Amino acid sequence: MTAGGTGVGTSNSRDEAKEPAAPSEKAAASLYSPDAAHIGAGTPGQIKAYVAIWQGFFGSLMIFVGSIGAGWIANGSPMFRHPLVIALRTEGWGVTTSTILLTAGAMLLVRSWLRLGQRLKDWGPGSLRSVVVAVAAWAAPLMFAVPIYSRDVYAYTGQGRLVLEGQNPYTAGISSLSNWFSLGADPAWAEAKTPYGPYFLWLARWVVGITDAQPDFSVLLFRVLATVGVLLCVVYVPRLAELHGINPGRALWIAVANPLFLISFVASAHNDALMVGLAVAGMYFAATGRHITGLLLVTASIGIKPITVLLLPFIGLMWAGPAASWARKFLFWGATAGISFAVLAVSGIPYNLGFGWVWAILDPTPGYTGYSPSGFLGQQVEVIANLLGLPGSTVATGLRTLMKWAGIGLVVVLMFRGDYSRLVRRAALAFAAVVMLSPIIQPWYILWFIPLLAVTGIRDDWQIKSLYVAVTFFVAFGAQDQISVLSFVELNVKVSSLAFLVAVGFTVYLMVLDVHTRRLLIRSSPAQLLRRLEQRLRRSG
């Protein structure tokens, strides 16, 4: 998606958002040493961004209000006894209004993010502060929203209960709990083993111990934990970007201020927020020569969600140094893996969790999502194969398996090939390869690697345009895909269809009608394009 780039901090002269020049060879050579210099300075001409910030805050407020009637509330929540909640969730007008507010608010947040980038296009002094203010303002209403776009946070409560009651979430599903359905978790979690690391299970047990598994208070505490991950990104994304000669304000705008990040990591309270925050912090410390600290932070990230194990080889290369022989590289790869896995092994002793997280990696969720490259291509291949009289399902499954292993192969290539000064970029590309070639991509999965791409440079060409498309698509998709409606509520129009129409209508407005945002994808107006087409037709005639 945005996995390109020709160098650290490179940008095109026609870029709208200028980046500082790439570091010199001397600076690049010492990029991952203890005394690495912080490179990058803003340019003058910053445009005040308060209008975009206030618009985004209003969009977040709309999401907050809409979530009350269309978000995920646990069956056992006392919120269902509140008269306003009853009206918004049982009356047709309430459900319809909530759906429109939720979807339109999310799309307004998309526009505010795009406009913030345009208003700060010079990325001069003060731009970083403006982005931090935007992140705080847009996240504040989401802190108190009903969970939207996903209800995984309720499964966290169930897994915390399992640990608290002496059961192992790596072998038991939450259906083994009494009254588990009242927790609000998706029934898909009923028999599923947890895919999370031991540290997150510790935290889940701690949350449940405090809240006694009360679903609303549990959501709030899990959201606080997720916000810690967001704050880590706010602190270390700019520092890691500056280290690579990338404007810290622009990097933070790309990585953290984007609405998919805030909705997924604050409103949805995904534990991926803490995983990403610890990973970014770990990469920063390793990149500045504090390799053990960086390794332990990445290990903590693995202990939240094991996918960040992909970062260990690149931590090992930083530790080995720029002039390391192959023998030294292998030695430090072994040391990095040995220390990390030893810490995780000891961490599995409490509550008898063991190394269950390893099996969570080796036994992935079956199936595919139709919007992943692997899933989409597999569907097309299956149709063609069936027309040719071949076993379409088998051929499609084989293609998806091949693409998944191709992603792992690219990780290996990036381990062995590439400049030392671009190790964070190589780690980002490795992450992107595994995610983008996987048969299953959840909307928040792309947030695993976007921060590392942002700190190493996303150019203002097809790369940033690809990000605009991906963020807008997943925000619009989540708005219509994850809406909670009680089964007995009668509506003239399905809420998913209503949300889809609002999201598509707003997207068309952003691309065609809005004089500001349409320039982000199409430099010319529709009228100019028609005039050019008419002129070409006349010349050809």
Side-chain angles (χ1 to χ4, degrees):
M1 186 182 64
T2 56
T6 58
V8 176
T10 59
S11 65
N12 199 307
S13 60
R14 57 183 169 82
D15 286 353
E16 185 175 15
K18 296 283 193 279
E19 304 245 6
S24 64
E25 288 187 13
K26 182 178 180 180
S30 62
L31 192 58
Y32 302 119
S33 63
D35 57 348
H38 285 238
I39 304 162
T43 56
Q46 177 199 9
I47 302 173
K48 288 189 178 294
Y50 298 120
V51 174
I53 293 173
W54 277 108
Q55 287 176 345
F57 177 71
F58 185 67
S60 288
L61 282 178
M62 291 171 64
I63 294 173
F64 164 73
V65 176
S67 73
I68 298 173
W72 294 101
I73 299 179
N75 295 332
S77 170
M79 289 180 65
F80 274 121
R81 296 194 290 271
H82 193 283
L84 177 61
V85 175
I86 293 173
L88 289 176
R89 301 188 78 89
T90 61
E91 301 289 340
W93 67 265
V95 175
T96 300
T97 302
S98 298
T99 300
I100 293 174
L101 284 173
L102 174 62
T103 309
M107 298 306 295
L108 179 58
L109 196 56
V110 171
R111 183 186 186 276
S112 302
W113 172 61
L114 297 174
R115 291 294 291 135
L116 180 65
Q118 288 179 314
R119 290 177 176 272
L120 295 175
K121 62 181 180 180
D122 293 326
W123 300 103
S127 59
L128 176 60
R129 180 181 180 279
S130 295
V131 177
V132 171
V133 171
V135 170
W138 298 349
L142 303 181
M143 280 291 295
F144 303 99
V146 172
I148 56 172
Y149 282 57
S150 169
R151 48 177 161 163
D152 284 359
V153 65
Y154 292 117
Y156 303 163
T157 302
Q159 290 154 5
R161 272 188 62 189
L162 286 173
V163 179
L164 191 64
E165 296 180 12
Q167 299 190 61
N168 190 337
Y170 294 124
T171 58
I174 61 175
S175 61
S176 61
L177 298 168
S178 60
N179 203 27
W180 71 272
F181 195 70
S182 66
L183 295 176
D186 190 320
W189 283 100
E191 304 295 333
K193 297 181 288 186
T194 181
Y196 308 131
Y199 299 146
F200 183 72
L201 295 179
W202 292 7
L203 293 171
R205 182 188 185 279
W206 170 74
V207 167
V208 171
I210 292 175
T211 65
D212 196 26
Q214 202 284 332
D216 302 324
F217 290 136
S218 297
V219 167
L220 184 60
L221 282 187
F222 280 120
R223 191 168 276 155
V224 169
L225 292 175
T227 304
V228 171
V230 174
L231 291 175
L232 285 171
C233 289
V234 169
V235 172
Y236 289 105
V237 162
R239 296 184 183 186
L240 197 52
E242 201 173 17
L243 190 65
H244 287 81
I246 302 301
N247 187 284
R250 185 171 187 265
L252 190 67
W253 168 71
I254 289 172
V256 180
N258 87 67
L260 183 63
F261 188 99
L262 294 176
I263 291 173
S264 299
F265 287 174
V266 179
S268 300
H270 279 294
N271 58 6
D272 305 60
L274 192 54
M275 175 197 80
V276 172
L278 289 168
V280 170
M283 294 298 281
Y284 170 76
F285 279 97
T288 52
R290 290 164 283 186
H291 304 111
I292 296 298
T293 302
L295 173 58
L296 292 177
L297 284 168
V298 171
T299 299
S301 176
I302 297 170
I304 301 297
K305 203 166 184 178
I307 188 64
T308 45
V309 72
L310 291 171
L311 299 179
L312 290 183
F314 303 97
I315 296 285
L317 289 172
M318 292 180 193
W319 195 2
S325 64
W326 282 110
R328 180 176 173 85
K329 290 177 182 178
F330 276 98
L331 175 65
F332 278 89
W333 275 334
T336 301
I339 293 173
S340 182
F341 292 163
V343 171
L344 289 168
V346 173
S347 302
I349 294 175
Y351 315 121
N352 298 313
L353 296 175
F355 262 101
W357 60 272
V358 174
W359 307 115
I361 294 178
L362 299 178
D363 185 23
T365 304
Y368 64 90
T369 50
Y371 51 77
S372 69
S374 171
F376 178 78
L377 288 175
Q379 287 176 325
Q380 312 314 308
V381 167
E382 182 173 358
V383 171
I384 295 172
N386 286 334
L387 290 174
L388 297 175
L390 301 173
S393 178
T394 302
V395 174
T397 300
L399 175 64
R400 296 186 191 106
T401 302
L402 180 64
M403 292 181 69
K404 179 178 69 175
W405 282 105
I408 296 173
L410 286 172
V411 174
V412 175
V413 171
L414 289 162
M415 284 172 56
F416 284 89
R417 298 290 300 273
D419 294 337
Y420 179 83
S421 63
R422 290 168 58 81
L423 278 171
V424 175
R425 184 68 168 195
R426 288 159 62 185
L429 297 178
F431 234 143
V434 169
V435 171
M436 298 305 294
L437 293 177
S438 171
I440 294 181
I441 299 179
Q442 299 292 358
W444 56 93
Y445 286 9
I446 68 171
L447 301 173
W448 297 349
F449 59 82
I450 283 177
L452 294 181
L453 286 179
V455 301
T456 53
I458 292 181
R459 297 195 309 266
D460 193 24
D461 53 16
W462 67 268
Q463 294 184 356
I464 195 67
K465 290 179 181 180
S466 297
L467 181 66
Y468 295 154
V469 171
V471 168
T472 304
F473 170 78
F474 281 123
V475 169
F477 174 81
Q480 59 85 32
D481 180 61
Q482 290 283 336
I483 294 179
S484 174
V485 181
L486 297 173
S487 59
F488 59 81
V489 177
E490 296 184 1
L491 299 168
N492 294 326
V493 180
K494 290 179 60 177
V495 290
S496 59
S497 301
L498 178 62
F500 176 78
L501 290 174
V502 172
V504 170
F506 209 117
T507 302
V508 171
Y509 168 75
L510 293 176
M511 293 181 62
V512 179
L513 301 178
D514 191 313
V515 296
H516 300 293
T517 58
R518 72 187 184 194
R519 291 180 297 178
L520 294 173
L521 289 178
I522 304 172
R523 296 293 181 181
S524 302
S525 68
Q528 290 172 324
L529 291 174
L530 288 173
R531 282 197 296 270
R532 290 178 185 174
L533 178 59
E534 184 180 0
Q535 290 170 357
R536 289 179 182 177
L537 289 174
R538 287 176 179 175
R539 285 196 297 266
S540 63

